[in-house]
Amino acid sequence: MRKIVLASHGTMAVGMKNSLEMIAGKQECVDAIAAYVPGAPNLQSSVEGAIAALGPDDELILVTDLLGGSVNNELSEFRNRSHVFVVTGMNLALVLGLVLGCADTTEELIQEAVDSARGQVMRILGASEMAYEDEDF
Amino acid sequence: MVVLFRVDHRLMHGQVVFSWCSYLNPNCILVANDSVAKDDLRKTTLRLSKPASTKLVIKGIDDSIAAINSGKTDKYQLLIVVESVRDAVRMAEACPQITSIDLGGTKATSSTHQLSKMVYLTDEEEDLLRDAQGKGIEVFLQGVPSDKKVPFTSRN
């Protein structure tokens, strides 16, 4: 089973899970950690807990908010654990891609989700400027 | 081959694109809608939400029926989206390749009653769907692939 933990400075991860579930339905395998909020448990301990709870055939994808930010800096060491992957640049398209994507391996799933999400960041221009051509069968 | 024929008043919406495309892996989406086919701005907006590896064709209802019946679409794993029950029944009855209608989402209005969280129908629409069932077309309700598929039963 594949589990996903979203982690961000503050509550973006929690909001991300809310938005995700609005589109894709309830997600039992997705958890959200709001880091550095007063009173919140230690970020690394929370992730250690998630890793400890993994079954022998489970995999964990940690999604962090910002490359070079503290959350990613603190959590990137976990990429060395077996069955754990770290992805940064959290956005809704990426998270949807990870949750709803189909691929044979988690490596492929992540690569496809990252590529797809990256392609969805753009300025929306007027119809004529975006110049899409009509496709036909 | 038609992998899904779906009624959704929002046409191609985040939910449809992501969840159904991941589940069914269509390589082509047909948006069959008379007003969108003539509207460049709406067409562009739809194109923005399509998965990269999936072809998107937008045609009016008559052109869609003609294309499907000509056999041109047989080589695709085709997901078809229409906006209304009326359009759905018209196409399903005109195209033997369409064997089922998924009621994915319809708008609530003052003349509709609720069938499920996302599906609201007028009496006229229920009649159209019941007639379609009588002609051997399967009609069911399913919002996303993880929802249970619920057969449509007319309350009349």
Side-chain angles (χ1 to χ4, degrees), chain B residues 47 99 126 148:
Chain B
R47 284 197 192 292
T99 55
E126 284 229 10
K148 231 173 116 176

Side-chain angles (χ1 to χ4, degrees), chain B residues 7-9 11 32-33 35 42 81-85 87 105-106:
Chain B
V7 178
D8 192 325
H9 70 275
L11 287 174
N33 188 277
S35 56
R42 273 188 90 185
V81 186
V82 291
E83 197 176 36
S84 67
V85 167
D87 285 350
T106 50

Side-chain angles (χ1 to χ4, degrees), chain B:
Chain B
M1 177 186 136
V2 178
V3 298
L4 183 71
F5 180 68
R6 180 187 162 85
V7 178
D8 192 325
H9 70 275
R10 297 158 310 177
L11 287 174
M12 257 173 61
H13 182 75
Q15 200 184 46
V16 177
V17 178
F18 280 110
S19 54
W20 283 107
C21 285
S22 299
Y23 185 70
L24 295 170
N25 275 309
N27 51 19
C28 185
I29 299 172
L30 167 62
V31 174
N33 188 277
D34 289 332
S35 56
V36 172
K38 291 186 277 220
D39 184 336
D40 278 346
L41 182 57
R42 273 188 90 185
K43 277 201 264 192
T44 307
T45 314
L46 282 177
R47 284 197 192 292
L48 292 174
S49 50
K50 102 179 160 102
S53 51
T54 313
K55 199 177 173 88
L56 172 65
V57 178
I58 302 169
K59 282 188 186 295
I61 302 290
D62 288 334
D63 287 342
S64 297
I65 292 172
I68 295 169
N69 286 340
S70 76
K72 262 196 282 198
T73 63
D74 290 349
K75 61 180 190 272
Y76 296 101
Q77 297 288 101
L78 184 64
L79 190 158
I80 307 176
V81 186
V82 291
E83 197 176 36
S84 67
V85 167
R86 177 166 293 276
D87 285 350
V89 172
R90 194 169 135 215
M91 280 187 72
E93 291 182 350
C95 300
Q97 294 92 330
I98 298 174
T99 55
S100 66
I101 299 173
D102 169 30
L103 300 175
T106 50
K107 234 182 345 194
T109 67
S110 52
S111 42
T112 60
H113 52 273
Q114 185 172 18
L115 271 80
S116 75
K117 201 170 54 147
M118 307 281 283
V119 179
Y120 300 77
L121 297 177
T122 62
D123 287 341
E124 195 197 339
E125 286 167 339
E126 284 229 10
D127 290 342
L128 286 171
L129 290 169
R130 202 185 49 242
D131 290 345
Q133 280 180 317
K135 297 184 177 133
I137 295 165
E138 184 196 357
V139 182
F140 61 96
L141 287 78
Q142 194 176 20
V144 283
S146 52
D147 288 342
K148 231 173 116 176
K149 191 166 147 170
V150 175
F152 165 73
T153 42
S154 170
R155 64 180 192 170
N156 300 327

Side-chain angles (χ1 to χ4, degrees), chain A residues 91-121:
Chain A
N91 68 62
L92 189 53
L94 173 63
V95 175
L96 277 166
L98 292 172
V99 166
L100 298 172
C102 296
D104 292 329
T105 64
T106 301
E107 285 88 346
E108 285 173 344
L109 174 78
I110 290 173
Q111 193 58 56
E112 285 169 16
V114 166
D115 291 340
S116 171
R118 191 179 281 139
Q120 293 179 60
V121 180

Side-chain angles (χ1 to χ4, degrees), chain A residues 42-102:
Chain A
N42 174 273
L43 174 60
Q44 288 188 316
S45 326
S46 302
V47 173
E48 288 282 11
I51 293 175
L54 292 177
D57 295 319
D58 289 346
E59 288 177 312
L60 177 66
I61 306 177
L62 290 173
V63 185
T64 66
D65 51 357
L66 194 64
L67 181 66
S70 308
V71 172
N72 193 61
N73 288 343
E74 277 198 63
L75 299 187
S76 54
E77 60 164 273
F78 289 106
R79 73 189 183 284
N80 297 317
R81 303 288 184 90
S82 67
H83 300 310
V84 179
F85 304 83
V86 182
V87 185
T88 192
M90 186 195 305
N91 68 62
L92 189 53
L94 173 63
V95 175
L96 277 166
L98 292 172
V99 166
L100 298 172
C102 296

